[in-house]
Amino acid sequence: RTGLALIAGKSAEKSGLQANDIVVSVNAEAVTLANPLSVLLSQFKPGDTVTLSIERAGSMQDIDVIL
């Protein structure tokens, strides 16, 4: 499986993301090498809310994030 490991920063922390979270999908669309996170997020504009499915310490969870 592919995903993107995130490093916590001010914006990420406000959204509930933590260091080493792995984003596996955006609004139920899988993050893959052919469909990377940057491409998925480029479909939205600032202020939009998206649901990120993340893997954190071996557990899956969804987080709503305002871009």
Side-chain angles (χ1 to χ4, degrees), residues 1-3 6 8-9 11 14-16 18 20 26 30 33 35 38 43-44 54 56-57 59-60 62 64 66-67:
R1 170 174 9 135
T2 59
L6 296 176
S11 295
K14 285 182 183 179
S15 67
Q18 298 178 5
N20 300 315
V26 177
L33 291 176
N35 207 21
S38 59
Q43 301 171 42
F44 303 96
I54 64 165
R56 178 180 293 159
S59 297
M60 297 297 297
D62 291 335
D64 291 329
I66 299 172
L67 301 178

Side-chain angles (χ1 to χ4, degrees), residues 37-59:
L37 182 61
S38 59
V39 170
L40 293 173
L41 292 178
S42 71
Q43 301 171 42
F44 303 96
K45 60 184 186 294
D48 285 349
T49 300
V50 297
T51 300
L52 301 180
S53 295
I54 64 165
E55 183 178 334
R56 178 180 293 159
S59 297

